[in-house]
Amino acid sequence: MSKITFIDDNGTFVIRNPENYSGLYFPLAGEQGIKASITPNLGGDSKLDQNHFLLEPVSIENLHNNKNTRNFWCMIDGNGAWSVTGSSARQEYEKFTGQQDESELKAGFMWQELTRTSKEFGLQAVTSSFVSIDGSAEIMLVEIKNISDRPLTFTPIAAVPIYGRSADNIRDHRHVTSLLHRTQVTESGVYVKPTLSFDERGHQKNDTAYFVSGFDENGQYPADFYPTVESFIGEGGSFLNPEAVRIRKKGYRPGDTIDGKESVGAFAFEERALKPGETAGYIVVLGAVKEPDCRKAADKNAVIPET
């Protein structure tokens, strides 16, 4: 790893094109609660403990194989789609070529900041990832800047698959436990509360809600929601080429409920126009909380936690 450059006395370092290094990941955690791992393309997992995973449990081999990572897309009007994490079918194909995005990872103790630049789309994204000090939530702060010399219009779409169960279920009863999912769309995002926790401890009533919420720098909530894997990726699609990103289709609305499906915290914000040099900001909040009123848990965590 000769490309690491330390930039201060606190261990902060930078790496150029970090997605070119296999097996690279970092821890994210607060004083209690959420414990997560994250890669330069925002792979990894997030959990409360062995029996309560917000994101699908991973091993070192999953870091370069899994498609279902944290992601944030920009649908550029009339010009296709771009992933700020580099996790798209096109960007994966363009790795190690002259068309690869410019990217740089800056990281320190329990945080990372990914800067990705697309000359083709005229956009630069800075994605900061960390867990709030009290450990109540994982935060993605995404800042999109128009670096071109012309106005740009785009639709922002966040997507974080919600696993919502025990690590045991990754190899045992994966489909059966998805039938226990009770997914609901709120004004701020998507929450999932399985009816039971079904693993090697036996069948137990579940009291944990898993959620992904989002809002822009002005406090505006998303406009459309895609709370299940099938509604987001579409027939024949994948997380690297999802239908909801290929086409601007109508999504679910606040109050809608879906039972028995694999869940994803995916939602589209209103279309945004940026003049040259202008920046738009978005915040995505990931959490897993033990709370009887799970809708209240999702909504009350759709704020910027103290950091």
Side-chain angles (χ1 to χ4, degrees):
M1 192 66 68
S2 60
K3 301 297 184 180
I4 287 181
T5 301
F6 289 93
I7 61 175
D8 60 26
D9 295 330
N10 299 317
T12 307
F13 61 88
V14 296
I15 306 174
R16 291 184 60 80
N17 290 112
E19 65 270 22
N20 293 350
Y21 295 98
S22 300
L24 185 63
Y25 71 96
F26 308 97
L28 297 179
E31 293 180 348
Q32 57 183 352
I34 292 287
K35 298 172 282 291
S37 62
I38 194 166
T39 71
N41 68 345
L42 275 61
D45 60 26
S46 189
K47 61 184 177 294
L48 294 178
D49 53 44
Q50 177 72 4
N51 297 309
H52 299 90
F53 273 77
L54 169 62
L55 306 183
E56 181 181 288
V58 299
S59 68
I60 192 72
E61 288 303 308
N62 300 114
L63 298 183
H64 61 84
N65 281 327
N66 281 14
K67 301 176 183 179
N68 55 340
T69 60
R70 310 164 179 88
N71 210 339
F72 195 97
W73 299 80
C74 296
M75 288 179 61
I76 297 87
D77 187 25
N79 200 25
W82 180 62
S83 165
V84 308
T85 72
S87 298
S88 74
R90 177 177 177 178
Q91 287 161 286
E92 181 71 18
Y93 171 77
E94 291 175 345
K95 282 178 64 176
F96 308 111
T97 73
Q99 286 73 50
Q100 184 174 4
D101 290 340
E102 295 178 5
S103 65
E104 180 180 88
L105 181 74
K106 181 188 296 184
F109 183 67
M110 298 294 176
W111 62 271
Q112 75 169 32
E113 179 185 278
L114 175 67
T115 301
R116 180 171 296 278
T117 303
S118 172
K119 293 180 179 179
E120 177 184 357
F121 292 114
L123 291 174
Q124 182 179 77
V126 179
T127 305
S128 304
S129 301
F130 55 93
V131 170
S132 58
I133 291 176
D134 65 1
S136 62
E138 180 185 329
I139 314 298
M140 287 172 54
L141 171 61
V142 183
E143 298 171 281
I144 311 293
K145 183 177 182 180
N146 180 357
I147 59 172
S148 74
D149 58 0
R150 65 189 186 282
L152 291 175
T153 302
F154 72 100
T155 300
I157 301 178
V160 181
I162 301 174
Y163 177 71
R165 62 199 100 164
S166 169
D168 291 338
N169 299 134
I170 200 70
R171 59 176 177 78
D172 189 21
H173 301 298
R174 175 70 189 255
H175 175 64
V176 172
T177 51
S178 73
L179 300 179
L180 302 174
H181 278 194
R182 299 296 178 265
T183 305
Q184 184 162 352
V185 178
T186 72
E187 288 185 338
S188 61
V190 176
Y191 84 79
V192 182
K193 185 176 183 289
T195 56
L196 297 172
S197 178
F198 181 70
D199 51 45
E200 292 184 359
R201 299 171 300 157
H203 296 65
Q204 302 183 38
K205 185 177 180 180
N206 173 59
D207 63 353
T208 301
Y210 306 86
F211 67 89
V212 178
S213 298
F215 50 97
D216 67 16
E217 78 271 30
N218 299 313
Q220 296 299 308
Y221 289 146
D224 276 299
F225 301 83
Y226 310 99
T228 67
V229 171
E230 65 181 19
S231 67
F232 180 61
I233 70 172
E235 188 68 28
S238 75
F239 281 106
L240 293 183
N241 191 20
E243 181 183 52
V245 173
R246 294 197 310 273
I247 61 175
R248 183 65 169 89
K249 69 176 186 178
K250 184 176 177 60
Y252 286 78
R253 310 301 299 168
D256 288 344
T257 59
I258 306 95
D259 294 343
K261 301 288 186 179
E262 290 282 356
S263 306
V264 58
F267 36 78
F269 293 91
E270 292 287 357
E271 187 177 74
R272 190 74 175 266
L274 292 179
K275 297 177 182 178
E278 281 191 333
T279 299
Y282 300 91
I283 296 173
V284 181
V285 183
L286 294 63
V289 292
K290 296 184 178 181
E291 170 86 38
D293 187 342
C294 294
R295 176 164 183 161
K296 184 184 297 183
D299 285 338
K300 78 179 183 181
N301 279 279
V303 297
I304 305 174
E306 295 181 4
T307 59

